[in-house]
Amino acid sequence: MKSPKCILVVGGAGYIGSHMVWLLGQKGVDVVTLDNLSSGHRDAVLHGQFVLGDIADRLILDKVFGEHKFDAVMHFASFIQVGESVLDPAKYYQNNVVNTLNLLNAMRAHGVDKFIFSSTAAIFGEPEYVPIGEAHPQSPINPYGWSKRMVEQVLADYDRAYNLKSVCLRYFNAAGAHPDGLLGERHDPETHLIPLVLQAASGQRPHITVFGRDYDTPDGTCIRDYIHILDLAEAHWLALQHLQSGGETRAYNLGNGNGYSVNEVIETARRITGRAIPVQEGQRREGDPARLVADAGKIQQELGWQPIYADLNTIVKHVWHWEALNS
Ligand code: UDP
Protein backbone atom coordinates (compact mmCIF):
# COMPACT_ATOMS: atom_id res chain seq x y z
CA MET A 1 0.00 0.00 0.00
CA LYS A 2 1.11 3.52 -0.79
CA SER A 3 0.81 5.18 2.59
CA PRO A 4 -1.10 8.46 2.60
CA LYS A 5 0.94 11.64 3.03
CA CYS A 6 -1.63 14.39 3.26
CA ILE A 7 -5.36 14.33 3.91
CA LEU A 8 -7.96 17.10 3.75
CA VAL A 9 -10.30 16.76 6.72
CA VAL A 10 -13.42 18.84 6.19
CA GLY A 11 -15.14 19.50 9.50
CA GLY A 12 -12.01 18.55 11.42
CA ALA A 13 -12.86 20.91 14.29
CA GLY A 14 -16.04 19.01 15.18
CA TYR A 15 -16.59 16.13 17.56
CA ILE A 16 -15.81 13.24 15.20
CA GLY A 17 -13.49 15.18 12.88
CA SER A 18 -11.23 16.35 15.71
CA HIS A 19 -10.67 12.78 16.91
CA MET A 20 -9.88 11.82 13.31
CA VAL A 21 -7.35 14.62 12.93
CA TRP A 22 -5.68 13.51 16.17
CA LEU A 23 -5.55 9.88 14.96
CA LEU A 24 -4.06 10.89 11.60
CA GLY A 25 -1.39 12.77 13.55
CA GLN A 26 -0.61 9.59 15.50
CA LYS A 27 -0.29 7.71 12.21
CA GLY A 28 2.22 10.28 10.92
CA VAL A 29 -0.02 11.74 8.21
CA ASP A 30 -0.14 15.45 7.37
CA VAL A 31 -3.55 17.03 7.69
CA VAL A 32 -5.25 20.18 6.52
CA THR A 33 -8.47 20.87 8.41
CA LEU A 34 -11.05 22.99 6.62
CA ASP A 35 -13.85 24.08 8.95
CA ASN A 36 -16.20 27.06 9.09
CA LEU A 37 -16.41 26.78 12.91
CA SER A 38 -20.22 26.94 12.74
CA SER A 39 -20.23 24.29 15.44
CA GLY A 40 -16.61 23.15 15.72
CA HIS A 41 -13.85 24.47 17.97
CA ARG A 42 -10.52 25.77 16.76
CA ASP A 43 -8.75 24.43 19.87
CA ALA A 44 -9.98 20.90 19.11
CA VAL A 45 -7.70 20.70 16.08
CA LEU A 46 -4.61 19.15 17.66
CA HIS A 47 -2.62 18.39 14.53
CA GLY A 48 -1.78 19.85 11.13
CA GLN A 49 -2.83 23.06 9.47
CA PHE A 50 -6.15 24.81 10.04
CA VAL A 51 -8.03 26.74 7.35
CA LEU A 52 -11.14 28.71 8.27
CA GLY A 53 -13.58 28.34 5.41
CA ASP A 54 -16.76 26.87 4.07
CA ILE A 55 -17.14 24.15 1.45
CA ALA A 56 -19.83 26.32 -0.17
CA ASP A 57 -16.98 28.65 -1.18
CA ARG A 58 -15.38 27.34 -4.36
CA LEU A 59 -12.61 29.96 -4.21
CA ILE A 60 -11.45 28.67 -0.82
CA LEU A 61 -11.65 25.10 -2.10
CA ASP A 62 -9.59 25.93 -5.19
CA LYS A 63 -7.01 27.66 -3.02
CA VAL A 64 -6.70 24.74 -0.57
CA PHE A 65 -6.60 22.10 -3.32
CA GLY A 66 -4.13 24.25 -5.28
CA GLU A 67 -1.72 24.54 -2.35
CA HIS A 68 -1.61 20.87 -1.32
CA LYS A 69 -1.51 17.49 -2.95
CA PHE A 70 -4.12 15.47 -1.06
CA ASP A 71 -4.30 11.68 -1.21
CA ALA A 72 -7.90 11.77 -0.05
CA VAL A 73 -10.66 13.89 1.49
CA MET A 74 -12.56 12.98 4.66
CA HIS A 75 -15.83 14.85 5.01
CA PHE A 76 -17.32 15.37 8.48
CA ALA A 77 -18.97 18.78 7.96
CA SER A 78 -22.70 18.35 8.11
CA PHE A 79 -25.73 19.32 10.10
CA ILE A 80 -26.91 16.40 12.23
CA GLN A 81 -30.07 17.31 14.11
CA VAL A 82 -33.00 15.24 12.96
CA GLY A 83 -35.70 17.49 14.45
CA GLU A 84 -34.18 20.63 12.95
CA SER A 85 -33.98 18.93 9.57
CA VAL A 86 -37.75 18.42 9.63
CA LEU A 87 -38.37 22.09 10.51
CA ASP A 88 -35.76 23.51 8.12
CA PRO A 89 -35.06 21.02 5.33
CA ALA A 90 -33.55 23.76 3.11
CA LYS A 91 -30.69 24.16 5.56
CA TYR A 92 -29.99 20.43 5.45
CA TYR A 93 -30.24 19.92 1.69
CA GLN A 94 -28.17 23.03 1.07
CA ASN A 95 -25.30 22.13 3.35
CA ASN A 96 -25.35 18.35 3.42
CA VAL A 97 -26.10 17.84 -0.28
CA VAL A 98 -25.40 20.97 -2.37
CA ASN A 99 -22.24 21.99 -0.52
CA THR A 100 -21.00 18.40 -0.57
CA LEU A 101 -21.46 18.43 -4.36
CA ASN A 102 -19.37 21.60 -4.46
CA LEU A 103 -16.62 19.79 -2.55
CA LEU A 104 -16.79 16.72 -4.79
CA ASN A 105 -16.65 18.86 -7.93
CA ALA A 106 -13.61 20.74 -6.60
CA MET A 107 -11.97 17.35 -5.96
CA ARG A 108 -12.65 16.33 -9.55
CA ALA A 109 -11.24 19.60 -10.87
CA HIS A 110 -8.04 19.07 -8.86
CA GLY A 111 -7.63 15.37 -9.58
CA VAL A 112 -8.33 14.05 -6.04
CA ASP A 113 -10.21 10.78 -6.41
CA LYS A 114 -10.61 9.28 -2.91
CA PHE A 115 -13.36 10.29 -0.50
CA ILE A 116 -14.50 9.09 2.90
CA PHE A 117 -18.00 10.12 3.82
CA SER A 118 -19.80 10.35 7.17
CA SER A 119 -23.11 8.67 6.55
CA THR A 120 -25.66 7.54 9.09
CA ALA A 121 -27.98 4.79 10.26
CA ALA A 122 -30.77 7.31 9.53
CA ILE A 123 -30.64 6.30 5.85
CA PHE A 124 -32.46 3.10 6.87
CA GLY A 125 -35.42 4.86 8.52
CA GLU A 126 -37.70 2.79 10.74
CA PRO A 127 -35.90 -0.58 10.97
CA GLU A 128 -37.67 -3.66 9.66
CA TYR A 129 -35.33 -5.82 11.74
CA VAL A 130 -32.19 -5.58 13.87
CA PRO A 131 -29.26 -5.89 13.73
CA ILE A 132 -29.18 -3.77 10.59
CA GLY A 133 -26.81 -4.97 7.89
CA GLU A 134 -26.03 -3.29 4.58
CA ALA A 135 -28.83 -5.22 2.83
CA HIS A 136 -31.52 -3.62 5.00
CA PRO A 137 -33.95 -1.54 2.88
CA GLN A 138 -33.18 2.18 2.82
CA SER A 139 -36.12 4.39 3.55
CA PRO A 140 -35.18 7.57 5.43
CA ILE A 141 -37.93 9.22 7.47
CA ASN A 142 -36.50 12.72 7.77
CA PRO A 143 -34.55 15.25 5.64
CA TYR A 144 -31.33 14.56 7.57
CA GLY A 145 -31.46 10.87 6.59
CA TRP A 146 -32.43 11.78 3.02
CA SER A 147 -29.57 14.26 2.70
CA LYS A 148 -27.08 11.50 3.54
CA ARG A 149 -28.86 8.97 1.35
CA MET A 150 -28.69 11.38 -1.58
CA VAL A 151 -24.95 11.86 -1.20
CA GLU A 152 -24.48 8.08 -1.11
CA GLN A 153 -26.29 7.94 -4.45
CA VAL A 154 -24.16 10.76 -5.85
CA LEU A 155 -21.03 8.86 -4.79
CA ALA A 156 -22.13 5.66 -6.52
CA ASP A 157 -22.75 7.65 -9.72
CA TYR A 158 -19.49 9.61 -9.43
CA ASP A 159 -17.59 6.34 -9.17
CA ARG A 160 -19.21 4.97 -12.35
CA ALA A 161 -18.80 8.17 -14.33
CA TYR A 162 -15.64 9.80 -12.95
CA ASN A 163 -13.85 6.95 -11.17
CA LEU A 164 -14.04 8.80 -7.86
CA LYS A 165 -13.68 6.09 -5.21
CA SER A 166 -15.38 6.45 -1.86
CA VAL A 167 -16.19 4.73 1.39
CA CYS A 168 -19.45 5.65 3.15
CA LEU A 169 -19.45 4.88 6.86
CA ARG A 170 -22.95 4.75 8.31
CA TYR A 171 -22.53 5.64 11.93
CA PHE A 172 -24.91 4.41 14.55
CA ASN A 173 -24.53 6.39 17.83
CA ALA A 174 -21.09 8.02 17.97
CA ALA A 175 -20.18 8.38 21.65
CA GLY A 176 -17.27 8.52 24.08
CA ALA A 177 -14.27 10.79 24.26
CA HIS A 178 -10.50 10.60 23.97
CA PRO A 179 -9.31 8.25 26.78
CA ASP A 180 -6.74 10.82 27.98
CA GLY A 181 -9.27 13.63 28.12
CA LEU A 182 -7.71 15.48 25.16
CA LEU A 183 -10.94 15.74 23.18
CA GLY A 184 -14.65 15.17 23.65
CA GLU A 185 -18.13 16.18 22.66
CA ARG A 186 -19.00 19.91 22.83
CA HIS A 187 -22.24 20.45 20.94
CA ASP A 188 -24.31 23.56 21.51
CA PRO A 189 -27.08 22.76 22.14
CA GLU A 190 -26.15 19.28 23.33
CA THR A 191 -28.81 16.78 22.30
CA HIS A 192 -26.99 13.47 22.73
CA LEU A 193 -27.92 11.13 25.54
CA ILE A 194 -24.57 10.27 27.16
CA PRO A 195 -23.23 13.83 27.62
CA LEU A 196 -26.66 14.97 28.84
CA VAL A 197 -26.83 12.17 31.41
CA LEU A 198 -23.35 12.98 32.69
CA GLN A 199 -24.11 16.69 32.83
CA ALA A 200 -27.11 15.75 35.01
CA ALA A 201 -24.70 13.71 37.16
CA SER A 202 -22.31 16.64 37.58
CA GLY A 203 -25.11 19.07 38.39
CA GLN A 204 -24.73 21.11 35.21
CA ARG A 205 -28.28 20.09 34.36
CA PRO A 206 -31.13 19.54 36.83
CA HIS A 207 -32.15 16.17 35.35
CA ILE A 208 -32.20 13.93 32.31
CA THR A 209 -35.49 13.58 30.50
CA VAL A 210 -36.27 10.05 29.29
CA PHE A 211 -38.02 10.30 25.94
CA GLY A 212 -40.64 7.57 26.32
CA ARG A 213 -40.93 4.40 28.40
CA ASP A 214 -43.58 2.67 26.34
CA TYR A 215 -41.42 1.24 23.57
CA ASP A 216 -41.48 -2.44 22.71
CA THR A 217 -38.17 -3.16 24.47
CA PRO A 218 -37.45 -5.05 27.73
CA ASP A 219 -37.46 -1.91 29.92
CA GLY A 220 -39.63 0.21 27.61
CA THR A 221 -36.86 2.69 26.69
CA CYS A 222 -35.15 3.01 23.29
CA ILE A 223 -32.18 0.84 22.45
CA ARG A 224 -29.17 2.27 20.59
CA ASP A 225 -25.76 1.06 19.48
CA TYR A 226 -23.12 3.35 21.01
CA ILE A 227 -19.78 3.26 19.21
CA HIS A 228 -16.67 4.80 20.72
CA ILE A 229 -15.33 7.77 18.83
CA LEU A 230 -11.82 6.32 18.54
CA ASP A 231 -13.17 3.02 17.20
CA LEU A 232 -15.06 5.08 14.68
CA ALA A 233 -11.92 7.05 13.75
CA GLU A 234 -9.99 3.80 13.36
CA ALA A 235 -12.64 2.60 10.88
CA HIS A 236 -11.91 5.72 8.80
CA TRP A 237 -8.22 4.92 8.89
CA LEU A 238 -8.93 1.41 7.57
CA ALA A 239 -11.23 2.85 4.91
CA LEU A 240 -8.44 5.19 3.85
CA GLN A 241 -6.01 2.28 3.59
CA HIS A 242 -8.57 0.38 1.52
CA LEU A 243 -8.78 3.24 -0.98
CA GLN A 244 -5.01 3.78 -0.95
CA SER A 245 -4.58 0.12 -1.93
CA GLY A 246 -6.77 0.67 -4.98
CA GLY A 247 -9.94 -0.62 -3.28
CA GLU A 248 -13.38 -0.19 -4.76
CA THR A 249 -16.19 2.07 -3.56
CA ARG A 250 -17.87 0.65 -0.46
CA ALA A 251 -20.56 1.45 2.12
CA TYR A 252 -20.37 -0.02 5.62
CA ASN A 253 -22.63 0.02 8.66
CA LEU A 254 -20.61 1.01 11.69
CA GLY A 255 -21.62 0.18 15.24
CA ASN A 256 -20.64 -2.26 17.99
CA GLY A 257 -23.56 -4.59 17.44
CA ASN A 258 -24.48 -4.14 21.14
CA GLY A 259 -27.72 -2.42 21.98
CA TYR A 260 -28.16 -0.51 25.25
CA SER A 261 -31.38 1.06 26.44
CA VAL A 262 -31.71 4.64 27.70
CA ASN A 263 -32.30 3.14 31.15
CA GLU A 264 -29.11 1.10 30.95
CA VAL A 265 -27.13 4.19 29.98
CA ILE A 266 -28.49 6.06 33.01
CA GLU A 267 -27.79 3.10 35.35
CA THR A 268 -24.26 2.75 33.98
CA ALA A 269 -23.67 6.46 34.52
CA ARG A 270 -24.95 6.20 38.13
CA ARG A 271 -22.56 3.32 38.80
CA ILE A 272 -19.55 4.99 37.25
CA THR A 273 -20.05 8.47 38.68
CA GLY A 274 -21.44 7.41 42.06
CA ARG A 275 -23.79 10.38 41.71
CA ALA A 276 -27.54 10.63 41.87
CA ILE A 277 -28.98 11.32 38.42
CA PRO A 278 -32.46 12.82 38.63
CA VAL A 279 -34.76 11.53 35.90
CA GLN A 280 -37.81 13.21 34.45
CA GLU A 281 -40.30 11.28 32.35
CA GLY A 282 -40.87 12.74 28.90
CA GLN A 283 -42.86 12.06 25.75
CA ARG A 284 -41.49 10.03 22.89
CA ARG A 285 -39.33 12.09 20.55
CA GLU A 286 -40.71 12.09 17.03
CA GLY A 287 -38.91 9.80 14.62
CA ASP A 288 -37.17 7.71 17.32
CA PRO A 289 -37.27 3.99 16.41
CA ALA A 290 -37.42 1.57 19.35
CA ARG A 291 -34.17 -0.19 18.39
CA LEU A 292 -31.19 0.72 16.23
CA VAL A 293 -28.40 -1.82 16.33
CA ALA A 294 -25.75 -2.35 13.65
CA ASP A 295 -24.57 -5.51 12.04
CA ALA A 296 -20.98 -4.43 11.37
CA GLY A 297 -19.89 -7.83 10.07
CA LYS A 298 -19.04 -6.51 6.62
CA ILE A 299 -16.47 -3.93 7.71
CA GLN A 300 -15.04 -6.46 10.18
CA GLN A 301 -14.59 -9.03 7.43
CA GLU A 302 -13.49 -6.78 4.60
CA LEU A 303 -11.35 -4.20 6.42
CA GLY A 304 -10.51 -6.09 9.61
CA TRP A 305 -12.13 -3.46 11.85
CA GLN A 306 -12.57 -4.47 15.51
CA PRO A 307 -13.86 -2.16 18.21
CA ILE A 308 -11.45 -1.73 21.14
CA TYR A 309 -13.79 0.25 23.40
CA ALA A 310 -17.02 -1.66 22.75
CA ASP A 311 -18.05 -1.77 26.41
CA LEU A 312 -20.57 0.88 27.51
CA ASN A 313 -18.75 1.28 30.86
CA THR A 314 -15.60 2.40 29.06
CA ILE A 315 -17.49 4.80 26.81
CA VAL A 316 -19.24 6.39 29.80
CA LYS A 317 -15.99 6.53 31.83
CA HIS A 318 -14.23 8.42 29.05
CA VAL A 319 -17.06 10.94 28.74
CA TRP A 320 -17.13 11.41 32.52
CA HIS A 321 -13.41 12.13 32.49
CA TRP A 322 -13.93 14.69 29.71
CA GLU A 323 -16.89 16.31 31.53
CA ALA A 324 -14.87 16.48 34.76
CA LEU A 325 -12.07 18.32 32.97
CA ASN A 326 -14.41 20.70 31.19
CA SER A 327 -17.08 21.64 33.71
N1 UDP B 1 -32.72 10.44 24.66
C1 UDP B 1 -33.43 10.67 25.83
N2 UDP B 1 -33.27 11.88 26.45
C2 UDP B 1 -32.46 12.86 25.97
C3 UDP B 1 -31.73 12.61 24.77
C4 UDP B 1 -31.89 11.38 24.15
O1 UDP B 1 -34.18 9.82 26.30
O2 UDP B 1 -32.38 13.94 26.56
C5 UDP B 1 -32.86 9.14 23.98
C6 UDP B 1 -33.36 9.23 22.56
O3 UDP B 1 -34.76 9.18 22.53
C7 UDP B 1 -32.72 8.00 21.91
C8 UDP B 1 -31.43 7.81 22.70
O4 UDP B 1 -31.58 8.56 23.90
O5 UDP B 1 -33.52 6.87 22.12
C9 UDP B 1 -30.22 8.34 21.96
O6 UDP B 1 -30.49 9.64 21.51
P1 UDP B 1 -29.38 10.60 20.92
O7 UDP B 1 -30.02 11.94 20.66
O8 UDP B 1 -28.16 10.56 21.80
O9 UDP B 1 -28.95 9.91 19.54
P2 UDP B 1 -29.84 9.46 18.27
O10 UDP B 1 -30.24 8.03 18.55
O11 UDP B 1 -31.01 10.38 18.16
O12 UDP B 1 -28.88 9.57 17.14
Side-chain angles (χ1 to χ4, degrees):
M1 187 201 61
K2 197 168 117 284
S3 66
K5 288 198 179 59
C6 190
I7 303 296
L8 177 63
V9 179
V10 178
Y15 171 47
I16 302 175
S18 61
H19 286 80
M20 189 69 233
V21 169
W22 174 83
L23 184 68
L24 288 167
Q26 297 298 300
K27 307 277 187 192
V29 178
D30 283 344
V31 171
V32 176
T33 291
L34 176 67
D35 198 300
N36 65 7
L37 296 183
S38 62
S39 59
H41 304 271
R42 174 67 187 87
D43 63 3
V45 182
L46 299 180
H47 168 69
Q49 187 183 328
F50 178 80
V51 177
L52 179 65
D54 198 301
I55 51 170
D57 181 349
R58 182 61 190 261
L59 291 177
I60 288 260
L61 290 175
D62 283 338
K63 186 166 185 294
V64 171
F65 280 106
E67 286 173 354
H68 303 270
K69 170 120 194 53
F70 296 117
D71 295 291
V73 175
M74 293 184 172
H75 180 28
F76 296 94
S78 64
F79 294 130
I80 58 165
Q81 288 182 37
V82 168
E84 186 188 49
S85 81
V86 175
L87 296 174
D88 193 1
K91 176 175 173 181
Y92 278 68
Y93 289 122
Q94 182 65 42
N95 185 61
N96 295 5
V97 181
V98 176
N99 295 352
T100 298
L101 277 175
N102 205 40
L103 172 64
L104 289 169
N105 291 333
M107 285 175 61
R108 287 177 54 215
H110 293 271
V112 180
D113 61 359
K114 298 178 183 63
F115 188 69
I116 298 178
F117 179 60
S118 301
S119 190
T120 170
I123 67 164
F124 295 109
E126 185 68 44
E128 291 178 13
Y129 53 83
V130 291
I132 300 173
E134 286 78 5
H136 188 285
Q138 296 177 15
S139 187
I141 54 171
N142 50 61
Y144 168 66
W146 273 115
S147 72
K148 296 287 185 173
R149 176 72 192 83
M150 286 175 185
V151 173
E152 286 206 12
Q153 182 62 48
V154 167
L155 290 171
D157 293 337
Y158 272 38
D159 179 14
R160 268 187 294 272
Y162 311 128
N163 210 25
L164 191 150
K165 302 294 177 193
S166 61
V167 176
C168 294
L169 296 173
R170 298 156 178 165
Y171 312 153
F172 281 63
N173 287 60
H178 191 287
D180 300 338
L182 294 177
L183 294 164
E185 198 165 356
R186 275 191 277 170
H187 291 123
D188 185 18
E190 188 54 75
T191 60
H192 289 140
L193 180 66
I194 295 178
L196 290 177
V197 167
L198 292 174
Q199 287 167 15
S202 69
Q204 288 179 73
R205 291 177 192 269
H207 54 256
I208 179 73
T209 304
V210 173
F211 295 154
R213 272 190 198 277
D214 55 349
Y215 284 95
D216 183 16
T217 59
D219 65 24
T221 63
C222 286
I223 292 176
R224 293 290 178 273
D225 181 332
Y226 297 93
I227 168 171
H228 194 286
I229 193 82
L230 284 189
D231 287 331
L232 199 125
E234 186 64 29
H236 288 72
W237 173 247
L238 296 172
L240 178 62
Q241 289 183 312
H242 166 79
L243 293 179
Q244 284 288 117
S245 315
E248 289 300 322
T249 289
R250 290 280 182 270
Y252 296 114
N253 294 359
L254 194 57
N256 285 317
N258 302 319
Y260 293 101
S261 71
V262 171
N263 232 22
E264 286 173 310
V265 170
I266 296 170
E267 283 310 321
T268 303
R270 284 190 175 125
R271 235 184 7 257
I272 282 171
T273 64
R275 306 277 179 94
I277 302 178
V279 165
Q280 195 168 72
E281 303 305 330
Q283 297 296 311
R284 285 185 176 203
R285 192 173 62 176
E286 208 182 321
D288 260 346
R291 291 168 198 261
L292 278 176
V293 180
D295 174 353
K298 189 176 168 202
I299 190 167
Q300 292 180 349
Q301 277 160 24
E302 293 189 5
L303 302 190
W305 177 76
Q306 277 299 334
I308 293 173
Y309 307 106
D311 177 32
L312 182 64
N313 287 299
T314 311
I315 293 175
V316 170
K317 255 185 219 158
H318 291 169
V319 181
W320 183 234
H321 184 43
W322 166 253
E323 290 292 340
L325 292 171
N326 290 280
S327 57

